[in-house]
Amino acid sequence: MSSAQASAWIAGVTGDAVVRVAGLAAAALDGLRSPRLAAALDDVLARRDGHRAEGRALAEALHAVIGDLPRDGVRPRVIGLRRALHAGRRPGAGEWTPEIAGRLPAEVSRGIAGWLADAATLAAAEDRLPRVLAAERESGLNALLKAATDPGFRIALGGTSPVLAAELEKWIADPRRTPRTGTTTTLARYLARAVTKTSPLSTFTTSGPVLWRAGGPAVETRPVDRSGAFELSYYHIRENIAAFVLGHPALSGRAPIALNASAQRLGEQVVFLRGFGMLGLLGGERYCAVPARPSVLALVELLGREPEGLPRHVLRERLTAGDTSLNEEVDAFLDHLLDAGLLVPGLPVAYPHEVLVGAAAWARQRTKGEAHALSAAPEQAEGKARALSVALERAAAALAVRPAVGDPVSYRARREAVVSGLRELAGFAVPGDPQHAMFTTLTTVNVRDTAVAAEPPAICSARAWRPVAGDLDLIRRWIAPFAPHLPARLALTELFGDRLRERGPLPVIAFYREYQRAVTAEDEIGAELRGSVVAPSALHPEDSVLDRVRRLSDVMADALAALSPYPLNAGEPGTSGPVTVPAEALRTVIAAYPPWVPEVRSISAYVQPAGGSGVVNALGTGFGSVRARLDHLTGWRGTGVADPGAGPIYAAFGSRFGISLNDHRRCLPYQLGGTPGLIGRDGAARLRIEDLVVRLDEESGLLGLATTGGREVRVVHTGAAAREFLPPFSLLLTVLSGDVPPLTILPPPHPSRAAPRDRRRDWTRLVVGALVAGRAQTRFPAGDVPLPRQGEEESRFLLRLAEWRRAEGIPRRCFFRTRPEPQSVDERLTTSPASWTQTQEKWHKPMYLDFGSWLLVRGFAAALRRPGTALVTFEEALPDPSAAQSGDHHVAELVLDVTAGSPL
């Protein structure tokens, strides 16, 4: 198979793969280890084990001797001696004397004397631990500093934690100035992350395309030129910039006015969604209506022919037919509908990432010709508009720079230039206004930068990944019962199915109105709907009040039974493994799924190579969305995706919901809606809300979406931000479409069905064909894990922890994650996605831990001490980054798309 053939094959199976390469080589972990300390701890523990075993043997020997001793004053002291030996403690002053030694058999006396000498040696070994730790501490800090001077690491740290980055730069400038303990502990955690994890949200990782070849290693990383792609990460900042420019006094009255993209006539009303496409946390997508008066209908018809809107003065002229006496009345009419949200002002820009450039061009255009003919001071307004456009151009130019991930100083200057360019816009805002506060408070934290490579940073073997791709397709079909929003879709079908069967398809916006009434009802059905849509993992289907949903629990149980004997919930301590499940077992259970458990059409799988297997880290939305995100960041312009003309229509949201993580190239044939405040068009095929209806799907019997012409529609969230951030109408569309995969292959133990959390639980490794579907892991109540005591010497704590780890059989190198107590449905619903992700996202993800590194152990202890920590899970390091044969080895992860049937 040639390289071209390999690429063609893998593209046909998995789409355009993406590789993520960790920023630091695995060798950087070497300096964090403390081999002499680890050896000293092991030596002490080995001596302890031997000492305890010998003490028990001597106690057993004394047991036979005691019976022959006369019942005088010696006998009680020998009994005390025996107890001391059995307990492993030094005998009391009267329990071991020359007199007692002389009364015992010579062999036993010599054994006890030797045991006491060994106790002294053991105590001396324990006493040496602080000195060993002190020596390792110095060398460990030197190694940490050396590894942290890597330019890429310094750049990434500056984008993630500017304060910590500043402390690192001070340390680099003066190595004699060692930072505080908390600083070095946090630096070590970041360093371990940069080696072991492949997070796409920073410059700690490089994302790029894959170069395929027929054979060779599964993944072979290679050095490539990397650049940083800047984005604004402040929620809705780009939409706010658009609103700021549109409302600027120098441009007053010139903004195009467009019809709300969701508007349509239903009976005697014109209905629409206020804030269509706005972040759900801000209360977007509220159902609204105005009377369908002739004046409103005429305006809707007029603007329906002008998708990019019309300036107010043009709209006024059209509506008044040139009768200036009606201007005041028409302006009041337009203002009323703008306030209501039926009309929206907008820039002629298609996507949020184009806002600065588009706003600058629009503002500059307004300075020409008759732009300020209606202004009381046209020359002054023109000058302000021109100055604003220049400032916008400067900010856009700074944001567009793609600096090389090389020199930290120049890179930092580029990052700060982005912030400076945006802060300059504060000079055009009124002090005290929200826009002025937004611009003046921006920092580099509000600038997200991602390291990307246009050239492939890894070469991969088609031969190695072929079986992995095949088994991923099997997994894609098997996970159908665990699709997170299937319970909600079943619930909606049970609640509304009969009505739709009787009345026929319902316009989607009308269905949304009925859905809102149901989901806000203060009854058990309303509560269940709220839980199944907003917090789908909080309610077990078996506990549903609806029959259709309860039936799903039986299908889930059958699917999980196919993994037997994998201990899904039992997790008994010491469960042996791994468990290997034959592919045929999954195929058999998949064939028995009922029609109302539809397959997920496309998934993306995040996979690491380990030996001859692929270890699955996570699942996500497929359809090439990850590659589309990469193409956006690298500036690659693809040819787009055409509608095949048959089968379901697939559409992505036009809105980015105020989050730049959702920016990506188009990867589905159609687009639905747009971004608030932006009314430009990019030529993509568009679906309108008024074209969509909710109907009963004949094949599955579930509620689904279709066009008014009867063709099935599936709306997919192809952005990278969590679906918790979707506003309610958009979230409902994804529920009715069904193409949302679970985040992991194995569903986490449900809080209401999980093994008790008050003691240790074990789960073995699960293997399906060429896939490791689940790593071996052990969970403990956080209180069971040793932590430093008040005033305890650090080496003593490390010894206690090492002894506990050995007793529990936890690997020396592993990953750990912490969890609070699971929330109830009500608690989950009252916690906003923003606050939930801020408190959870760092600590529920795996963090690397080497028990042989005092630096990493410090970070581990700090994580367990976080308020609310209830559980800690240790997960096998598979693959183990520290087991690399090459010092230049980089951890790598492939993102493979697997889609049913032929590519779209």
Side-chain angles (χ1 to χ4, degrees), residues 540-542 548-558 596:
H540 195 284
E542 192 176 356
R548 283 179 182 264
V549 181
R550 287 196 301 272
R551 287 160 54 198
L552 176 61
S553 65
D554 295 332
V555 181
M556 295 167 64
D558 290 342
W596 45 268

Side-chain angles (χ1 to χ4, degrees), residues 486-679:
L486 181 56
R489 196 176 181 191
L490 289 167
L492 291 172
T493 300
E494 182 158 341
L495 293 176
F496 297 101
D498 290 341
R499 276 181 269 179
L500 289 179
R501 191 176 289 108
E502 294 171 3
R503 295 157 52 183
L506 192 65
V508 69
I509 198 168
F511 178 83
Y512 178 56
R513 179 60 168 164
E514 295 196 18
Y515 159 77
Q516 282 192 318
R517 292 193 184 103
V519 82
T520 56
E522 294 299 326
D523 55 25
E524 57 184 2
I525 292 179
E528 177 162 336
L529 270 180
R530 290 192 292 275
S532 60
V533 173
V534 180
S537 63
L539 183 70
H540 195 284
E542 192 176 356
D543 299 328
S544 173
V545 299
L546 302 171
D547 179 64
R548 283 179 182 264
V549 181
R550 287 196 301 272
R551 287 160 54 198
L552 176 61
S553 65
D554 295 332
V555 181
M556 295 167 64
D558 290 342
L560 295 175
L563 305 180
S564 179
Y566 184 76
L568 282 158
N569 284 339
E572 292 301 329
T575 304
S576 61
V579 170
T580 299
V581 177
E584 192 56 37
L586 297 192
R587 294 191 185 97
T588 299
V589 74
I590 290 168
Y593 288 169
W596 45 268
V597 179
E599 68 179 23
V600 178
R601 172 77 190 278
S602 184
I603 64 170
S604 59
Y606 300 75
V607 190
Q608 288 181 262
S613 300
V615 185
V616 181
N617 292 328
L619 302 178
T621 300
F623 300 104
S625 57
V626 177
R627 178 58 187 264
R629 166 85 175 146
L630 174 66
D631 291 343
H632 163 75
L633 293 174
T634 58
W636 186 83
R637 295 185 178 274
T639 57
V641 182
D643 179 14
I649 289 175
Y650 279 87
F653 292 110
S655 176
R656 300 304 184 242
F657 305 110
I659 305 174
S660 58
L661 274 176
N662 290 326
D663 289 353
H664 60 281
R665 295 289 183 206
R666 188 159 59 92
C667 57
L668 291 175
Y670 285 86
Q671 182 170 292
L672 181 72
T675 298
L678 307 182
I679 55 177

Side-chain angles (χ1 to χ4, degrees), residues 169-186:
E169 294 301 322
K170 293 177 184 176
W171 194 15
I172 292 173
D174 183 5
R176 295 169 300 178
R177 179 192 171 278
T178 303
R180 294 177 303 171
T181 297
T183 300
T184 55
T185 301
T186 306

Side-chain angles (χ1 to χ4, degrees), residues 38 52 142 331 882:
R52 285 169 180 163
N142 290 337
D331 279 339
S882 297

Side-chain angles (χ1 to χ4, degrees), residues 545-855:
V545 299
L546 302 171
D547 179 64
R548 283 179 182 264
V549 181
R550 287 196 301 272
R551 287 160 54 198
L552 176 61
S553 65
D554 295 332
V555 181
M556 295 167 64
D558 290 342
L560 295 175
L563 305 180
S564 179
Y566 184 76
L568 282 158
N569 284 339
E572 292 301 329
T575 304
S576 61
V579 170
T580 299
V581 177
E584 192 56 37
L586 297 192
R587 294 191 185 97
T588 299
V589 74
I590 290 168
Y593 288 169
W596 45 268
V597 179
E599 68 179 23
V600 178
R601 172 77 190 278
S602 184
I603 64 170
S604 59
Y606 300 75
V607 190
Q608 288 181 262
S613 300
V615 185
V616 181
N617 292 328
L619 302 178
T621 300
F623 300 104
S625 57
V626 177
R627 178 58 187 264
R629 166 85 175 146
L630 174 66
D631 291 343
H632 163 75
L633 293 174
T634 58
W636 186 83
R637 295 185 178 274
T639 57
V641 182
D643 179 14
I649 289 175
Y650 279 87
F653 292 110
S655 176
R656 300 304 184 242
F657 305 110
I659 305 174
S660 58
L661 274 176
N662 290 326
D663 289 353
H664 60 281
R665 295 289 183 206
R666 188 159 59 92
C667 57
L668 291 175
Y670 285 86
Q671 182 170 292
L672 181 72
T675 298
L678 307 182
I679 55 177
R681 294 293 183 267
D682 67 345
R686 289 180 178 264
L687 280 179
R688 299 179 301 174
I689 297 299
E690 63 182 311
D691 295 331
L692 298 182
V693 297
V694 179
R695 68 175 186 183
L696 274 174
D697 181 74
E698 294 180 2
E699 182 177 346
S700 67
L702 297 171
L703 294 193
L705 298 173
T707 65
T708 52
R711 190 174 170 193
E712 182 184 0
V713 173
R714 297 187 183 183
V715 181
V716 182
H717 172 47
T718 50
R723 51 182 172 261
E724 283 94 345
F725 288 96
L726 289 179
F729 178 74
S730 299
L731 182 59
L732 176 63
L733 296 184
T734 66
V735 170
L736 293 170
S737 299
D739 272 309
V740 180
L743 298 177
T744 58
I745 293 178
L746 293 173
H750 195 274
S752 65
R753 302 295 189 276
R757 297 186 294 275
D758 60 351
R759 56 185 181 272
R760 168 183 171 149
R761 293 292 166 179
D762 293 274
W763 287 268
T764 65
R765 183 189 303 175
L766 177 65
V767 179
V768 179
L771 293 177
V772 175
R775 294 177 173 89
Q777 55 183 287
T778 301
R779 190 190 71 194
F780 294 89
D784 287 1
V785 183
L787 286 175
R789 296 166 178 158
Q790 183 70 30
E792 183 180 28
E793 193 174 57
E794 187 173 13
S795 63
R796 296 291 178 180
F797 159 65
L798 293 173
L799 184 61
R800 280 196 303 114
L801 182 64
E803 187 171 32
W804 175 86
R805 180 191 67 79
R806 292 206 333 171
E808 297 291 350
I810 305 300
R812 187 185 297 273
R813 296 190 297 269
C814 59
F815 287 87
F816 79 94
R817 66 180 84 204
T818 61
R819 288 279 192 182
E821 285 290 349
Q823 291 180 310
S824 67
V825 177
D826 291 338
E827 289 172 332
R828 188 68 179 83
L829 290 173
T830 56
T831 304
S832 75
S835 60
W836 183 81
T837 54
Q838 287 168 4
T839 57
Q840 298 294 319
E841 68 174 346
K842 289 183 180 180
W843 302 101
H844 80 282
K845 295 181 178 180
M847 290 175 279
Y848 183 73
L849 174 61
D850 186 337
F851 282 96
S853 165
W854 61 271
L855 274 166

Side-chain angles (χ1 to χ4, degrees), residues 10-221:
I10 206 75
V13 176
T14 65
D16 292 322
V18 171
V19 65
R20 296 172 174 172
V21 180
L24 288 178
L29 292 175
D30 294 341
L32 298 185
R33 296 193 192 95
S34 308
R36 287 175 294 172
L37 177 62
L41 292 171
D42 288 344
D43 175 65
V44 169
L45 293 177
R47 290 177 183 273
R48 275 188 178 179
D49 290 343
H51 195 249
R52 285 169 180 163
E54 179 64 18
R56 292 191 182 99
L58 289 169
E60 188 64 26
L62 279 180
H63 181 70
V65 173
I66 290 173
D68 297 332
L69 290 175
R71 296 183 177 275
D72 56 12
V74 171
R75 180 186 174 102
R77 288 186 287 161
V78 174
I79 292 173
L81 171 63
R82 179 180 178 275
R83 290 171 178 167
L85 292 170
H86 191 273
R89 63 173 174 80
R90 177 174 286 277
E95 294 173 342
W96 180 247
T97 65
E99 178 188 3
I100 290 176
R103 298 281 291 272
L104 299 179
E107 183 178 353
V108 174
S109 292
R110 284 195 300 271
I112 295 173
W115 185 84
L116 290 172
D118 289 343
T121 303
L122 173 60
E126 292 181 9
D127 290 341
R128 285 195 297 272
L129 290 177
R131 295 193 297 275
V132 176
L133 175 58
E136 290 282 69
R137 186 178 289 124
E138 181 178 355
S139 61
L141 289 174
N142 290 337
L144 174 63
L145 176 59
K146 180 179 179 181
T149 56
D150 177 84
F153 179 78
R154 293 162 64 187
I155 288 171
L157 191 65
T160 305
S161 177
V163 173
L164 186 61
E167 289 299 309
L168 174 59
E169 294 301 322
K170 293 177 184 176
W171 194 15
I172 292 173
D174 183 5
R176 295 169 300 178
R177 179 192 171 278
T178 303
R180 294 177 303 171
T181 297
T183 300
T184 55
T185 301
T186 306
L187 269 176
R189 176 165 59 85
Y190 271 102
L191 189 74
R193 168 190 167 189
V195 173
T196 62
K197 301 304 293 178
T198 52
S199 169
L201 307 184
S202 70
T203 47
F204 285 118
T205 298
T206 300
S207 298
V210 172
L211 177 63
W212 292 101
R213 63 184 172 196
V219 177
E220 183 180 344
T221 60

